[in-house]
Amino acid sequence: MTQESLTYRDAGVDIDAGDALVERIKPLARRTQRPGVLAGIGGFGALFEVPAGYRQPVLVSGTDGVGTKLRLAFELQRHTTIGIDLVAMSVNDILVQGAEPLFFLDYFACGKLDVATAAAVVGGIARGCELAGCALIGGETAEMPGMYPEGEYDLAGFAVGVVEKSAIIDGSTIVAGDVLIGLPSSGAHSNGYSLLRRIIARTQADLTAPFAGDTTLADAILAPTRIYVRPVQALLRALPVKGLAHITGGGLTGNVPRILPPTVRAEIAQSAWRRPALFDWLQRAGGVAEGEMHRVFNCGIGMVVVVAPTDVAQALQLLRDAGEAALVIGGIEPRADGDAATVVR
């Protein structure tokens, strides 16, 4: 007895859908093109030429995902901005070492490819690349039947940037007396969502109900991560920045210490900024202690800049001119044995 001839589609993989997605992605990627791209979407490997003008160029790379924020995107069927989160998490990380993001690659994995959903996600990735000034140069779409539940997918992103070796920012010049400038976040960004989702589940919160102004709780929790590349790059071109910290998992108390020499500590005044309503709701609804809030969430500050006191006024003006509501949030002090590296009071 002759067995029926099987196809890849019979096994759950639709090559035609994958090809259709590539065609929809190409114009999105073209919008992000910048000098240096030699070959992008469609080839086996993407090619990028290191920009001219560097004497000792150092490549800086970063990779990340968006964590369990994805589960809320699935539940709420909101896929257009999660790609911005993906780009932001990597480009902000390489930015803090002084790097200019050059290009970005994504990895999209699912059980069954829905072209419309995937295109919406990649559209967000392309938008994030535009905001960061980097090229969406390539990626991978993997359709793997049986690996993911229907309607779900996973994301990973990879960014590469460049910095002059002499201009690498590593925090080594930070001394007591330096000043901390905070750049506001747009919300929880892409961190702390396992706790955030636990609070939502425990309180059975209505995500569609009005929350703050014209927004809903869903709007607040899915607000895309801010991309700080352009304003911070403008600052780096104008004056010496001693340190930069991207406030991701670990919050202020976990991320600021990563850039501090062992001889100093950071004192941050919580009263220096108005905490967004989302964090007040999370603390109240979840009964979360103050210290835990600052260990898990950014609490309204997405990037911290360290400058000398003589550069504070100019730094604030430059950042504000670039659209940032920058403000002084604390300072650097000598650190004694037993002192915490960063304290939020």
Side-chain angles (χ1 to χ4, degrees), residues 64-71 82 89 154-155 190-191 193-194:
D64 211 337
V66 296
T68 60
K69 190 174 186 177
L70 275 178
R71 295 225 58 86
I82 203 76
M89 297 308 290
D154 198 10
L155 286 175
S190 298
N191 299 104
Y193 276 79
S194 294

Side-chain angles (χ1 to χ4, degrees), residues 171-187:
S172 60
T173 63
I174 295 174
V175 296
D178 288 338
V179 177
L180 304 174
I181 294 174
L183 307 185
S185 69
S186 55

Side-chain angles (χ1 to χ4, degrees), residues 34-36 48-55 57 59 100-103 161-163:
R34 53 164 290 160
F48 195 98
E49 186 175 35
V50 175
Y54 286 89
R55 297 183 302 278
L59 297 179
E100 173 195 3
L102 298 176
F103 59 87
V162 64
V163 62

Side-chain angles (χ1 to χ4, degrees), residues 42-315:
F44 287 101
L47 303 178
F48 195 98
E49 186 175 35
V50 175
Y54 286 89
R55 297 183 302 278
Q56 289 183 288
V58 174
L59 297 179
V60 185
S61 60
T63 182
D64 211 337
V66 296
T68 60
K69 190 174 186 177
L70 275 178
R71 295 225 58 86
L72 292 167
F74 303 153
E75 292 166 16
L76 295 166
Q77 288 295 294
R78 296 193 183 190
H79 306 288
T80 57
T81 60
I82 203 76
I84 298 176
D85 290 297
L86 184 69
V87 175
M89 297 308 290
S90 288
V91 297
N92 286 341
D93 272 359
I94 66 173
L95 172 67
V96 301
Q97 290 175 291
E100 173 195 3
L102 298 176
F103 59 87
F104 188 85
L105 300 97
D106 70 280
Y107 176 78
F108 179 98
C110 60
K112 181 174 177 56
L113 181 61
D114 181 301
V115 174
T117 297
V121 173
V122 177
I125 293 171
R127 177 57 182 155
C129 288
E130 289 182 88
L131 293 170
C134 64
L136 176 56
I137 200 172
E140 172 68 9
T141 302
E143 189 175 19
M144 299 183 286
M147 287 290 289
Y148 300 92
E150 184 176 353
E152 296 188 5
Y153 53 84
D154 198 10
L155 286 175
F158 313 88
V160 174
V162 64
V163 62
E164 189 70 62
K165 188 173 183 179
S166 61
I168 293 172
I169 299 172
D170 60 9
S172 60
T173 63
I174 295 174
V175 296
D178 288 338
V179 177
L180 304 174
I181 294 174
L183 307 185
S185 69
S186 55
H189 284 183
S190 298
N191 299 104
Y193 276 79
S194 294
L195 177 56
L196 186 153
R197 289 172 46 245
R198 181 71 178 270
I199 293 169
I200 290 171
R202 191 168 82 173
T203 60
Q204 297 185 322
D206 180 0
L207 301 185
T208 63
F211 177 66
D214 296 329
T215 67
T216 64
L217 186 54
D219 295 331
I221 62 178
L222 284 181
T225 306
R226 294 200 59 223
I227 292 174
Y228 298 99
V229 172
R230 294 186 188 278
V232 171
Q233 284 286 332
L235 181 66
L236 295 177
R237 288 191 293 269
L239 56 82
V241 170
K242 294 190 166 195
L244 290 163
H246 182 204
I247 310 305
T248 57
L252 285 162
T253 55
N255 284 287
V256 174
R258 296 168 67 179
I259 63 169
L260 299 179
T263 55
V264 298
R265 62 190 178 93
E267 282 274 345
I268 298 175
Q270 183 178 290
S271 60
W273 74 94
R274 185 174 181 178
R275 193 160 71 175
L278 174 62
F279 299 108
D280 290 335
W281 180 84
L282 287 169
Q283 183 171 29
R284 184 174 63 253
V288 184
E290 190 69 21
E292 185 73 358
M293 288 294 295
H294 288 291
R295 201 164 68 104
V296 175
F297 300 112
N298 65 60
C299 290
I301 299 295
M303 182 74 72
V304 173
V305 183
V306 186
V307 297
T310 52
D311 291 326
V312 172
Q314 185 183 0

